[in-house]
Amino acid sequence: MENILEYKELYHYDDKRSLIMNKMTGDVRMMKRLKYYDIEVYKYLAENTIPHIPKVYSYEVCEDKSLLVTEEVVQGNTFDVIISDYNMKDKDKLKYFFALLEGLTYLHNAPKPIIHRDLKPSNIMVTDRDEVMILDYDAAKIYKPHSDGDTTFLGTEGVAAPEQYGFMQSDPRSDIYAVGKMLAAAFPNNTNIQQIASKATSFDPKNRYISASELADALDDKLTPGKRVKRLLPMPGFRTRKWWKILLAILCYPTIIYFYLFFLMQAKTTYDLVSGAIELAIFIYVVIDTLFSWTGFFDFLPFSYSRHFILRYFIKLLFIGFIVFMLVFADVCTRMLIFGF
């Protein structure tokens, strides 16, 4: 790492930030003095070059316990320019959000996941080269899976996720919440994206997108309307990698297959066998896809992204009931045409 003594100050912004230049090479850096920080975050950023993240050249703990950091200078406009430009086409504006989510994915997928915790337009820069850079890691922390809550409550009121106020520990979904807030502000007249923003900003983290890449996939579906179907694998139960969901999936899927084959074995005619196989397969697919958004084919249903759990699943159960009625009705009509009764 570079030695801070090799630099001289060019411009003093405030007690926190200064513009400095290397005395030997002439390289210009930004120097910051931080009161709040997670040393592991800066260690990782200094050791790794990450797309959309300013390079950290050095960090040093001072006698007063503050952290002195030198990092890449980023010039351009804050993300407010993108959010408030209502003349920009939604397709063009979304590209900046995809870049933001790509940077978050790198942070969240670090060996020890890094949670920014203070994502807001003023902390995101669109550079002169049209690149998106995520700035200011004062509030950032390493995610600790077995911790019950954050030790320090940092963030910006109105943007920070509810759990950052002490309800539970921040995790990648806390940053998803902040992106959802920006999406809602950037696309006020786009109903589809507003639905996505509503899910991203759910009060309960369990109801949000589980990762930046999943949120990007949801936005990508809206950017390319023809691309409606999600990846078939992994199936519901295995996607979040939570042990209890995996256990339920391991128990449920064989049970579904068993009953599927059991009912088919009760068929007395070829028609019963064929129609039963088709109808049961459709029913099973509709149930799994509607309740757990397996392929996303039925995400068009009203209130699919509602924050209200009861309302969301009440509509889905009504839809499943409608599908059952239509399958029975179609079977009756087919039998009347073929057998005359």
Side-chain angles (χ1 to χ4, degrees):
M1 290 193 300
E2 298 177 348
N3 190 330
I4 195 66
L5 297 177
E6 298 174 352
Y7 289 88
K8 68 175 182 179
E9 186 176 68
L10 296 178
Y11 187 81
H12 184 78
Y13 293 98
D14 48 42
D15 292 338
K16 179 181 175 182
R17 299 175 302 150
S18 295
L19 194 66
I20 59 176
M21 183 179 71
N22 189 293
K23 300 174 184 177
M24 299 294 293
T25 65
D27 293 332
V28 177
R29 309 283 190 238
M30 179 67 70
M31 184 178 72
K32 295 181 178 180
R33 185 180 295 273
L34 308 177
K35 181 179 179 181
Y36 301 104
Y37 57 88
D38 186 329
I39 192 69
E40 290 187 74
V41 170
Y42 285 94
K43 181 178 186 296
Y44 182 79
L45 296 180
E47 294 174 351
N48 297 272
T49 300
I50 308 171
H52 309 295
I53 312 298
K55 176 65 179 174
V56 171
Y57 295 102
S58 68
Y59 61 95
E60 177 184 345
V61 179
C62 303
E63 291 184 2
D64 61 359
K65 303 301 182 182
S66 64
L67 187 72
L68 205 59
V69 179
T70 63
E71 62 182 39
E72 175 186 357
V73 176
V74 180
Q75 295 180 320
N77 297 306
T78 62
F79 214 55
D80 292 290
V81 174
I82 303 301
I83 290 176
S84 61
D85 188 352
Y86 299 122
N87 293 320
M88 185 184 298
K89 294 181 180 179
D90 287 355
K91 182 177 181 179
D92 295 330
K93 189 178 290 190
L94 274 173
K95 291 179 181 178
Y96 292 98
F97 278 91
F98 285 134
L100 169 61
L101 290 169
E102 183 181 30
L104 281 180
T105 299
Y106 281 109
L107 291 176
H108 295 167
N109 289 346
K112 294 181 179 179
I114 297 174
I115 317 302
H116 190 283
R117 295 203 301 170
D118 196 22
L119 279 177
K120 55 186 177 182
S122 60
N123 282 345
I124 304 167
M125 189 74 73
V126 180
T127 70
D128 299 334
R129 293 177 293 179
D130 212 33
E131 297 175 338
V132 173
M133 301 292 282
I134 305 173
L135 312 179
D136 292 342
Y137 293 83
D138 311 29
K141 76 177 195 69
I142 296 292
Y143 173 61
K144 299 176 176 62
H146 304 296
S147 177
D148 294 329
D150 294 342
T151 54
T152 304
F153 305 139
L154 297 173
T156 300
E157 186 176 354
V159 179
E163 59 269 21
Q164 290 181 229
Y165 295 94
F167 294 102
M168 60 188 73
Q169 184 190 191
S170 303
D171 64 20
R173 294 170 299 182
S174 304
D175 288 342
I176 297 299
Y177 182 95
V179 176
K181 284 286 188 179
M182 289 185 280
L183 282 169
F187 303 92
N189 301 316
N190 190 313
T191 304
N192 291 330
I193 296 179
Q194 286 295 323
Q195 289 178 334
I196 292 175
S198 178
K199 179 175 179 178
T201 55
S202 295
F203 183 87
D204 188 345
K206 296 178 182 177
N207 296 330
R208 299 176 202 156
Y209 297 98
I210 61 173
S211 66
S213 58
E214 186 182 32
L215 175 54
D217 286 343
L219 290 171
D220 193 31
D221 288 341
K222 304 306 178 185
L223 182 62
T224 53
K227 182 185 172 186
R228 298 289 304 174
V229 180
K230 300 177 182 177
R231 292 185 296 269
L232 296 180
L233 297 176
M235 292 185 67
F238 299 99
R239 294 177 298 188
T240 61
R241 298 180 182 178
K242 292 183 178 179
W243 69 268
W244 62 272
K245 289 187 177 181
I246 293 175
L247 180 60
L248 284 176
I250 291 174
L251 294 174
C252 287
Y253 287 127
T255 303
I256 291 172
I257 294 172
Y258 170 79
F259 280 107
Y260 179 78
L261 296 175
F262 174 79
F263 283 115
L264 292 184
M265 290 174 63
Q266 309 307 308
K268 297 179 180 180
T269 66
T270 302
Y271 174 82
D272 290 337
L273 179 64
V274 174
S275 64
I278 295 173
E279 291 167 6
L280 280 173
I282 292 175
F283 173 73
I284 292 170
Y285 163 71
V286 169
V287 170
I288 296 176
D289 200 68
T290 303
L291 294 180
F292 306 107
S293 189
W294 177 19
T295 68
F297 190 80
F298 298 110
D299 284 353
F300 66 87
L301 291 173
F303 306 104
S304 290
Y305 297 97
S306 173
R307 301 183 184 189
H308 302 289
F309 175 87
I310 296 177
L311 176 61
R312 188 167 68 249
Y313 279 92
F314 176 72
I315 296 297
K316 291 183 176 184
L317 290 174
L318 282 180
F319 177 73
I320 292 173
F322 171 75
I323 293 297
V324 170
F325 171 79
M326 292 302 297
L327 288 173
V328 172
F329 179 76
D331 183 61
V332 171
C333 291
T334 304
R335 288 178 182 276
M336 291 179 66
L337 289 172
I338 296 176
F339 303 108
F341 62 87

